[in-house]
């Protein structure tokens, strides 16, 4: 596994998170007090932040972190949700999505993102000052806590239950360095202590600068971690500062400020040092954020620089010692489970083995000799007696350091008493495991893997088709009848398997249309707000499935149709009221399956299309002659909207894009073998009906030959194949036509359409081979040289530079390895 | 910008960076009566602050940065060392 | 061969931790939350299947604390040290972690060297521990 794989995984998960976050944000707007929803949303943002942190994408982390802090307050009930907050969060998520894209492209974030990141984070944090929701969200302390609540909620739930007081931390000694007048003047302030590590200057840090820049700094006291050595011996580049300060800013801001050196800083909210007033709902005050100096590191309390060699061993020792003491402290807690004792013994063993010196080996023997059921107290005593001796200068300082740095040991009786009695968890766990019925295993697979499978199966399908031909050759050419029979038999087996595989992979590729529909919510919300319209979006049939390619190609046309609806369709509220309609308009998007097609309908109850206006515009733009326009019925006139270059908007609104008309939508839909129809009632509304193939995977084509080359033509476009005698072809100026079953059919030579240097061949009887294809309501006959058989192929759309060749629907790989160009006759003509 | 070493004192001006700490330290140690002027000093790096705390030079003039002044004990209203 | 179980609901974090621990030379496995982790344990042969647990706190279905509490109710023979991993914002909960029965507590994102050092100390892997200790601050 390498860094790229990890990054790919990050991108995958980040996108997944963002998608779900987007959905939740919309849902939350509708029900801002839904606790489960809020917790879910928080957890998603939290995960996202965590992942960003692994890669040190700072601009990204900053923004997501701000969002997380905001959501934490909201879900705790101390901050009310608002539309503006929603906007800020949505903006932030958009930015995040962009950054993810950038990371995917270049592997990093450009420095240009810095500014925007700061702006977005600031905008988000501004909301932190907002009001709490008017109704205090009753913190239902859920007993089945593990489901979505975080540990903090669990602690709050259990510790603030009956008589117990919330987790109150005693005021640390260093607070003496802050004048009491300030503590009184700013009761909701935050106090902090920053003890930079001695080597920090070499990392380019400036703790003095960092301290001075703490937001809303009211007091800053400079002390030292150890006594100053005599001036002659002192090294000014070993940091010995011990900074204490008071800031009248939310604790989140201050913590965020010190986020690069969290293990060197303690941040405490003054409010957490006071017992909480008796309140119905346990007020989830930000409990003292004692930094996790616990195990990760401790600040070196002495100034003396450790000797050069053996630094690693010294670090190791020091760390081992800290952990040793942690284990001792663990053993002295009340209500310790026997399992914990066992684990502590194992940890102690590990520590001894890891430090690997002579005394350690001795200690190990005695540890292992302790009786299996030794009590916690007994083990604790042993551990205290056999504490590994560290380096001389390290030891003494460790003993004194702990009370501050490791909150774990200090003053435990109080919090232990309110700790969770061992009895509580089982119920919670059992309940949650009861809820979880069918433990469904879901795999997340990247799309490229599916595509690869598709390709392989496609090749397999084609390759197997060579077998019958081989069997034939075996019999006729090589006179091997037995062999031929066996080949055919085996072919039948392979054929069945291949078809099953094809079905199976097509099932995997089927996606619910909901994946496209889900972004409409946001679209409708944003645009309707911008335009000052009230629009409700109704979505039906999101579970209807279609092939991945179809789904993906649908996105743009659908979005455009909806934008049109929002922009031109739905009227402003007053206009609607005047027309006797409800003030809010409705856009309905519905999907369903009809035999082998997927039908998607989008209708609105807006202004509809004005046939006369369309007629006028069409004439103005010279799209149809005036007399023709007059003969069109209203229904037909409305269809003119599909003509290229048609846009009735007098001002091209930037929302719908410049000059992108319905013709583009139609082309896009037809490119995936779909149809689109529009019907409208002026004043009442408009409906668009899209019909799409269920699957694009397998296409049946007829192979024809022209100019010595072979091409494929999709079977569902072919009306018939017919031979027409040269004499039956009427020439009129440049055009050629013939009569087939009483109807005039225009003829075009494929050679000309494809610019092949050849003219259509005639067979021995002087006949042309004509392939009659359907264009909408008309038929056109294509003159070709030869018909060959029909076959199933996997149509691959053209990619890259070739994608612009609209005359070709795509390519297909043939059994003999050759590539067949599949035509899109409509575009050729 | 940086430090100007005059006869009787070192003038710390604008922003004094980490590189200057060592030099300042050496210079101050050699003075019989170490003294600095902080009236134009906007910010010092923490290492420089350490030097000032270690040596405890006399501070001429009004320190421009109130936090620095307070840290050195020469803010108005503070008892001088 | 030491075996480590990484429990975290974020796939990226699981991958990250497993990579770091795997590079250190240990076998790793993963679970997406406390519930799945317990199932894994219960479906394994009765000797201690894992030598170390690296447990995230915030997970759906069953969070880290609950998992550890549950784990600690298993027979002694099945026990192993637990390294609790959490983000800064929850650092006040170290005591809850220890109450639950965790043996140590690490803040994420953990610097790789820190993670490896702590794990090596708990697993008793002297060579790896010494190497990792070079990269960490005293």
């Amino acid at each position: 596994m390498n860094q790229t794989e990890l990054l790919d995984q990050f991108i995958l998960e980040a996108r997944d998170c963002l998608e779900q976050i987007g959905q939740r944000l919309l849902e939350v707007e509708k029900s801002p007090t839904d606790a489960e929803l809020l917790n879910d949303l928080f957890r998603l943002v939290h995960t996202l932040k965590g992942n960003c942190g692994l890669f040190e994408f700072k601009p990204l982390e900053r923004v997501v972190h701000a969002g997380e802090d905001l959501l934490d307050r909201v879900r705790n009930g101390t901050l009310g949700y608002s539309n503006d907050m929603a906007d800020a969060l949505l903006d932030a998520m958009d930015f995040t999505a962009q950054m993810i894209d950038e990371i995917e492209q270049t592997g990093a974030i450009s420095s240009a993102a810095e500014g925007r990141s700061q702006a977005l984070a600031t905008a988000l944090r501004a909301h932190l000052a907002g009001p709490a929701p008017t109704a205090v969200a009753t913190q239902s302390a859920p007993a089945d806590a593990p489901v979505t609540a975080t540990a903090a909620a669990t602690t709050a739930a259990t510790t603030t239950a009956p008589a117990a007081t919330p987790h109150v931390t005693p005021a640390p000694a260093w607070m003496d360095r802050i004048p009491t007048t300030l503590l009184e003047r700013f009761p909701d302030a935050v106090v902090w202590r920053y003890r930079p590590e001695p080597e920090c200057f070499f990392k380019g840090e400036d703790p003095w600068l960092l301290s001075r820049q703490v937001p809303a700094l009211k007091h800053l006291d400079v002390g030292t971690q150890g006594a100053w050595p005599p001036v002659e011996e002192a090294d000014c580049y070993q940091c010995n500062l011990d900074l204490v300060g008071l800031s009248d800013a939310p604790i989140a801001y201050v913590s965020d400020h010190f986020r690069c050196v969290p293990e060197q800083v303690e941040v405490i909210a003054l409010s957490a040092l006071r017992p909480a007033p008796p309140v119905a709902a346990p007020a989830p005050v930000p409990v003292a954020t004692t930094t996790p100096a616990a195990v990760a590191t401790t600040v070196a309390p002495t100034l003396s620089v450790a000797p050069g060699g053996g630094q690693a061993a010294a670090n190791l020792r020091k760390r081992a010692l800290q952990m040793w003491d942690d284990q001792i402290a663990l053993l002295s807690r009340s209500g310790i489970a026997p399992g914990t004792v066992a684990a502590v013994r194992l940890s102690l063993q590990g520590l001894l083995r890891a430090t690997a010196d002579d005394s350690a080996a001795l200690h190990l023997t005695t540890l292992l000799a302790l009786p299996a059921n030794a009590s916690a107290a007994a083990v604790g005593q042993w551990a205290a007696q056999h504490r590994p001796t560290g380096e001389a200068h390290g030891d003494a300082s460790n003993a004194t350091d702990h009370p501050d740095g490791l909150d774990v040991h200090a003053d435990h009786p109080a919090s232990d008493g309110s700790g969770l009695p061992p009895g509580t968890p089982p119920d919670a766990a059992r309940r949650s495991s009861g809820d979880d019925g069918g433990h469904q295993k879901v795999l997340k697979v990247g799309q490229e893997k599916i595509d690869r499978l598709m390709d392989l199966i496609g090749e397999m399908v084609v390759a197997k088709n060579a077998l019958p031909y081989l069997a034939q050759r075996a019999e006729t050419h090589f006179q091997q009848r037995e062999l031929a029979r066996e080949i055919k038999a085996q072919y039948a087996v392979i054929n069945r398997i291949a078809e099953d595989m094809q079905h199976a992979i097509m099932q995997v590729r089927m996606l619910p249309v909901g994946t496209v529909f889900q972004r409409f919510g946001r679209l409708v919300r944003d645009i309707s707000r911008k335009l000052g319209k009230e629009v409700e979006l109704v979505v039906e049939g999101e579970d209807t499935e279609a092939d991945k390619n179809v789904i993906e190609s649908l996105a743009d046309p659908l979005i455009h149709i909806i934008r049109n609806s929002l922009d031109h369709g739905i009227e402003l509220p007053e206009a609607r009221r005047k027309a006797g309609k409800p003030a809010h308009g409705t856009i309905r998007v519905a999907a369903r399956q009809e035999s082998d097609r997927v039908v998607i309908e989008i209708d609105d109850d807006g202004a509809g299309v004005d046939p006369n206006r369309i007629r006028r515009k069409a004439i103005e733009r010279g799209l149809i002659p005036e007399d023709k326009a007059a003969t069109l019925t209203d229904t037909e006139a409305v269809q003119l909207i599909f003509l290229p270059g048609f846009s009735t908007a007098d001002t091209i609104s930037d929302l719908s894009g410049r000059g992108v008309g319905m013709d583009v939508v139609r082309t896009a839909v037809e490119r995936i073998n779909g149809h689109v129809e529009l019907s409208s009632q002026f004043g009442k509304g408009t409906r668009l009906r899209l019909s799409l193939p269920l699957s694009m995977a397998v296409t049946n084509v007829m192979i024809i030959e022209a100019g010595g080359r072979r091409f494929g033509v999709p079977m569902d476009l072919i009306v018939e194949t017919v031979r027409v005698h040269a004499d039956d072809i009427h020439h009129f100026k440049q055009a050629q036509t013939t009569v087939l079953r009483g109807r005039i059919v225009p003829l075009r030579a494929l050679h000309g359409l494809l610019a092949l240097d050849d003219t259509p061949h005639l067979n021995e009887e002087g006949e042309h081979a004509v392939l009659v294809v359907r264009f909408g309501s008309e038929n056109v006959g294509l003159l070709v040289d030869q018909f060959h058989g029909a076959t199933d192929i996997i149509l691959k759309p053209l990619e890259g530079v070739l994608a612009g060749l609209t005359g070709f629907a795509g390519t297909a790989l043939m059994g003999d390895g050759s590539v067949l160009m599949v035509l899109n006759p409509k575009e050729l003509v | 910008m940086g430090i100007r070493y005059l006869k009787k004192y070192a003038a710390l001006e604008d922003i004094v960076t980490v590189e200057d700490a060592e030099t300042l330290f050496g210079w101050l140690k050699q003075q019989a009566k170490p003294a600095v002027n902080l009236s134009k000093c906007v910010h010092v790096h923490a290492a420089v602050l350490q030097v000032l705390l270690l040596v405890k030079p006399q501070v001429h003039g009004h320190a421009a940065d109130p936090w620095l002044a307070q840290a050195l004990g020469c803010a108005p209203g503070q008892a001088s060392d | 061969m030491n075996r480590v179980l990484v429990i975290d609901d974020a796939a990226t974090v699981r991958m990250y931790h497993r990579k770091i621990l795997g590079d250190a030379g240990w076998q790793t496995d993963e679970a997406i939350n406390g519930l799945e982790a317990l199932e894994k344990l219960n479906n394994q042969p009765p000797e201690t299947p894992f030598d170390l647990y690296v447990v995230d706190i915030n997970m759906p279905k069953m969070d880290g604390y609950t998992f550890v509490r549950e784990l600690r109710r298993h027979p002694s023979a099945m026990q192993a040290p637990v390294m609790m991993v959490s983000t800064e914002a929850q650092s006040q909960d170290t005591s809850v972690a220890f109450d639950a029965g965790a043996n140590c507590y690490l803040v994420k994102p953990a610097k790789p060297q820190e993670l490896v050092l702590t794990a090596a100390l708990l697993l008793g892997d002297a060579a790896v521990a010494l190497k990792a200790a070079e990269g960490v601050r005293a």
Side-chain angles (χ1 to χ4, degrees):
Chain A
M1 175 191 323
N2 54 26
Q3 184 66 7
T4 331
E5 275 187 37
L6 199 55
L7 198 62
D8 285 345
Q9 170 63 38
F10 164 73
I11 292 170
L12 199 66
E13 197 171 26
R15 287 204 169 127
D16 197 46
C17 274
L18 281 171
E19 195 177 296
Q20 294 189 56
I21 291 173
Q23 266 183 314
R24 298 286 182 285
L25 281 173
L26 291 175
E27 288 166 23
V28 166
E29 266 198 291
K30 294 199 191 109
S31 27
T33 52
D34 183 344
E36 196 177 312
L37 202 50
L38 287 169
N39 272 324
D40 212 17
L41 180 55
F42 172 81
R43 204 179 49 75
L44 286 163
V45 177
H46 177 78
T47 303
L48 184 59
K49 188 199 81 166
N51 288 352
C52 291
L54 294 174
F55 292 88
E56 310 229 358
F57 289 130
K58 287 272 181 304
L60 205 47
E61 233 187 301
R62 184 182 298 125
V63 172
V64 182
H65 187 119
E68 186 200 43
D69 285 344
L70 208 57
L71 287 167
D72 199 18
R73 295 272 302 274
V74 174
R75 75 174 178 148
N76 281 334
T78 56
L79 186 60
Y81 201 71
S82 69
N83 266 349
D84 287 338
M85 192 185 292
D87 281 341
L89 284 164
L90 287 167
D91 281 345
M93 293 306 124
D94 283 344
F95 171 76
T96 307
Q98 278 174 25
M99 290 296 104
I100 301 288
D101 286 343
E102 203 183 312
I103 292 169
E104 190 181 29
Q105 303 277 15
T106 65
I109 301 182
S110 73
S111 47
E114 189 65 27
R116 267 193 76 201
S117 157
Q118 297 274 14
L120 282 166
T122 314
L124 279 169
R125 292 199 181 277
H127 288 285
L128 283 169
T134 43
V136 173
T138 36
Q139 286 281 296
S140 51
D144 49 329
V147 182
T148 46
T150 61
T154 322
T155 334
T158 49
T159 55
T160 58
T165 48
H167 200 70
V168 172
T169 318
W174 49 262
M175 265 181 65
D176 296 346
R177 291 159 61 180
I178 302 175
T180 20
T181 44
L182 283 177
L183 292 175
E184 281 158 18
R185 223 168 91 207
F186 302 102
D188 291 317
V190 165
V191 294
W192 50 268
R193 183 188 194 188
Y194 176 26
R195 284 175 292 172
E197 42 165 328
E199 311 291 317
C200 70
F201 297 157
F202 299 102
K203 286 190 183 175
E205 290 172 16
D206 183 355
W208 176 237
L209 181 64
L210 192 59
S211 301
R212 286 181 52 189
Q213 289 182 329
V214 176
L217 187 67
K218 300 293 178 206
H219 181 76
L220 182 55
D221 177 85
V222 181
T224 55
Q225 297 175 25
W228 288 117
V231 169
E232 309 81 50
E233 293 165 24
D235 179 0
C236 65
Y237 287 136
Q238 287 293 306
C239 185
N240 185 28
L241 299 171
D242 181 349
L243 300 137
V244 164
L246 180 137
S247 292
D248 191 24
I251 191 169
Y253 280 46
V254 181
S255 296
D256 182 61
H257 184 76
F258 284 118
R259 50 211 299 278
C260 293
V261 288
E263 69 286 351
Q264 299 166 36
V265 180
E266 277 175 72
V267 185
I268 300 179
L270 286 179
S271 47
L273 298 176
R274 302 185 286 266
V279 151
V285 176
V287 181
T289 328
T290 9
T291 50
V295 191
T297 60
T298 333
V299 179
T302 57
L303 237 204
S304 47
V305 182
Q311 182 64 27
N315 293 349
L316 181 68
R317 268 227 133 60
K318 187 160 201 135
R319 194 59 56 80
L321 218 46
Q322 287 165 5
M323 288 172 72
W324 189 273
D325 290 335
D326 283 344
Q327 303 314 303
I328 297 180
L330 253 180
L331 290 169
S332 61
R333 298 168 90 92
S334 63
I336 188 173
T340 312
V341 181
V344 166
R345 288 174 71 156
L346 287 168
S347 304
L348 292 172
Q349 283 176 31
L351 289 170
L352 285 173
R353 277 201 290 268
T355 44
D357 62 16
D358 305 319
S359 61
L362 266 169
H363 292 329
L364 192 55
T365 341
T366 49
L367 174 59
L368 293 170
L370 283 177
N373 56 356
S375 68
V379 180
Q381 204 173 22
W382 179 93
Q385 285 168 350
H386 293 82
R387 194 163 174 274
T389 44
E391 302 287 308
H393 67 264
D395 244 359
S397 36
N398 272 332
T400 51
D401 196 55
H402 284 185
D404 282 343
L406 295 168
D407 212 47
V408 178
H409 319 287
D411 312 296
H412 258 116
S415 27
D416 258 350
S418 56
L420 288 160
T424 355
D427 304 338
R430 228 171 277 134
R431 206 167 307 162
S432 60
S433 48
D435 287 344
D436 171 51
H439 200 54
Q440 264 225 338
K441 273 245 176 234
V442 173
L443 285 180
K444 272 207 254 245
V445 184
Q447 276 186 2
E448 341 72 56
K449 295 194 181 137
I450 301 286
D451 286 343
R452 175 100 183 98
L453 268 174
M454 265 298 290
D455 286 347
L456 287 171
I457 291 180
E459 288 180 44
M460 158 87 97
V461 162
V462 165
K464 71 158 168 69
N465 286 337
L467 288 174
Y469 170 68
L470 266 179
Q472 194 69 357
R473 290 228 338 149
E475 187 166 342
T476 53
H477 192 85
F478 295 101
Q479 255 75 53
Q480 298 279 355
R481 182 164 277 175
E482 283 297 319
L483 184 60
R485 209 168 295 151
E486 285 190 45
I487 292 179
K488 281 188 197 156
Q490 199 55 27
Y491 164 74
V493 173
I494 296 180
N495 191 43
R496 183 189 54 75
I497 298 176
E499 280 180 7
D500 285 349
M501 276 177 74
Q502 197 167 58
H503 269 290
I505 193 71
M506 272 156 58
Q507 280 307 309
V508 175
R509 278 174 55 100
M510 299 283 268
L511 287 177
V513 293
T515 56
V516 173
F517 288 4
Q518 59 155 224
R519 59 186 98 169
F520 295 164
R522 177 81 192 275
L523 186 70
V524 170
R525 177 198 180 274
D526 286 349
I527 297 185
S528 62
R529 276 184 77 180
K530 270 202 193 106
L531 295 175
K533 297 181 182 170
E534 292 167 31
V535 183
E536 195 192 321
L537 178 69
V538 174
V539 175
E540 292 165 22
E542 310 103 293
D543 294 332
T544 312
E545 288 191 336
D547 182 80
K548 187 189 106 179
N549 277 359
V550 169
I551 302 270
E552 283 165 4
S553 315
L554 266 185
D556 285 344
L558 285 178
I559 287 179
H560 187 72
I561 292 172
I562 292 188
R563 281 186 146 156
N564 265 350
S565 239
L566 287 164
D567 215 5
H568 309 300
I570 308 278
E571 319 89 321
L572 286 163
E574 319 92 68
R576 286 182 65 87
R577 263 184 237 120
K578 280 204 200 112
K581 294 184 189 174
H584 77 268
T586 308
I587 297 181
R588 189 185 72 104
V589 181
R592 62 175 186 282
Q593 199 176 326
E594 276 180 7
S595 70
D596 67 339
R597 312 281 296 176
V598 171
V599 175
I600 300 183
E601 283 171 352
I602 303 131
D603 44 37
D604 66 51
D605 60 353
V609 180
D610 181 356
N612 289 325
R613 194 149 164 263
I614 302 289
R615 269 196 204 92
R616 265 201 320 271
K617 289 282 172 192
I619 296 170
E620 267 174 34
R621 304 216 177 162
L623 295 169
I624 54 163
E626 195 163 337
D627 50 357
K628 179 92 189 291
T631 64
L632 292 175
T633 63
D634 280 352
T635 325
E636 289 167 337
V638 160
Q639 300 305 315
L640 292 173
I641 217 173
F642 284 109
L643 289 174
F646 202 104
S647 173
T648 57
D650 293 308
T651 56
I652 296 169
S653 90
D654 70 327
L655 290 176
S656 282
R658 288 177 51 250
V660 176
M662 287 305 292
D663 68 310
V664 174
V665 171
R666 173 166 269 176
T667 314
V669 171
E670 290 185 346
R671 190 169 291 152
I672 51 172
N673 292 340
H675 313 298
V676 55
E677 289 157 19
L678 179 140
S679 58
S680 169
Q681 262 188 303
F682 186 42
K684 292 262 174 67
T686 309
R687 162 177 295 193
L688 275 135
R689 186 176 183 280
L690 282 74
S691 159
L692 305 143
L694 202 52
S695 138
M696 267 175 69
V698 173
T699 321
N700 195 243
V701 297
M702 164 161 288
I703 305 200
I704 49 106
E705 195 181 308
R709 287 183 230 181
R710 289 180 176 219
F711 301 96
V713 180
M715 195 60 91
D716 57 3
L717 289 176
I718 299 177
V719 178
E720 60 177 329
T721 60
V722 70
R723 302 228 176 238
V724 175
H725 199 272
D727 297 338
D728 292 330
I729 296 185
H730 311 283
H731 300 259
F732 181 65
K733 293 192 191 167
Q734 308 287 35
Q736 295 173 297
T737 59
T738 190
V739 177
L740 287 175
R741 281 195 289 285
R743 302 190 71 168
I744 298 181
V745 177
L747 297 173
R748 305 287 297 272
L750 192 60
H751 312 68
L753 296 172
L754 293 173
L756 305 166
D757 337 295
D758 208 352
T759 50
H761 300 172
L762 293 165
N763 64 6
E764 296 96 52
E765 280 111 69
E767 290 171 331
H768 281 287
V770 177
L771 187 70
V772 184
V773 293
R774 173 182 31 244
F775 292 161
S777 49
E778 290 178 32
N779 290 349
V780 172
L782 296 172
L783 293 170
V784 301
D785 293 341
Q786 266 283 33
F787 301 124
H788 294 284
T791 179
D792 276 343
I793 51 145
I794 309 278
L795 183 64
K796 269 201 190 149
L798 293 169
E799 283 164 25
V801 273
L802 294 175
L805 296 173
T806 52
F808 292 99
T811 60
L813 196 61
M814 304 308 290
D816 60 356
S818 65
V819 172
L820 181 75
M821 302 293 292
V822 177
L823 303 174
N824 188 355
K826 184 162 183 231
E827 293 289 326
L828 290 174
V829 170
Chain B
M1 182 75 152
I3 309 183
R4 284 190 301 130
Y5 294 98
L6 304 178
K7 260 209 280 195
K8 294 241 180 91
Y9 60 85
L12 277 60
E13 287 165 0
D14 293 324
I15 300 177
V16 182
T17 61
V18 61
E19 291 91 33
D20 285 329
E22 187 116 57
T23 324
L24 177 64
F25 197 24
W27 188 86
L28 286 172
K29 281 196 277 197
Q30 287 172 353
Q31 303 302 305
K33 285 203 200 152
V36 295
N37 186 314
L38 302 174
S39 50
K40 293 201 188 128
C41 182
V42 173
H43 173 66
V44 299
H45 185 275
V48 178
L49 173 62
Q50 293 207 135
V51 168
L52 297 174
L53 290 170
L54 267 165
V55 174
K56 299 208 234 306
Q58 203 186 14
V59 177
H60 292 187
H62 229 53
D65 174 8
W67 293 118
L68 183 60
Q70 194 176 52
L72 295 175
C74 57
Q78 267 181 320
S80 46
D81 281 345
Chain C
M1 164 68 87
N2 282 316
R3 291 186 63 207
V4 183
L5 179 62
V6 171
I7 310 172
D8 195 307
D9 64 322
T12 310
V13 174
R14 289 198 299 277
M15 196 189 261
Y16 176 79
H17 283 160
R18 287 187 72 178
K19 176 177 180 5
I20 295 173
L21 296 168
D23 286 349
W26 302 311
Q27 237 178 47
T28 65
D29 199 345
E30 64 180 44
I32 62 174
N33 58 49
L35 195 58
E36 205 188 81
L38 280 177
E39 279 173 22
K40 232 187 200 2
L41 284 184
N42 293 331
N43 293 334
Q44 300 238 337
E47 321 83 56
T48 311
F50 295 103
D51 304 295
L52 176 68
Y53 297 94
V54 177
V55 187
D56 180 31
I57 290 183
N58 228 328
M59 299 181 286
K61 292 222 176 87
M62 184 188 288
D63 67 26
Y65 298 130
T66 314
F67 165 74
V68 180
R69 270 179 231 118
E70 276 305 297
L71 169 68
R72 291 305 181 219
R73 290 154 49 82
H74 280 50
S76 293
M78 283 184 68
Q79 293 301 330
V82 165
M83 187 194 304
M84 209 95 208
V85 180
S86 174
T87 56
E88 329 156 10
Q90 292 161 317
S91 50
Q92 69 267 31
D93 300 318
T94 48
S95 65
V96 182
F98 287 110
D99 269 333
N103 298 88
C104 78
Y105 193 103
L106 215 60
V107 172
K108 80 173 164 183
K111 302 203 179 76
Q113 297 295 67
E114 294 284 356
L115 184 67
V116 173
L117 175 58
T118 314
L121 282 170
L122 290 171
L123 289 168
D125 195 329
V128 175
L130 193 59
K131 183 130 187 300
E134 280 167 26
V136 299
R137 299 172 287 105

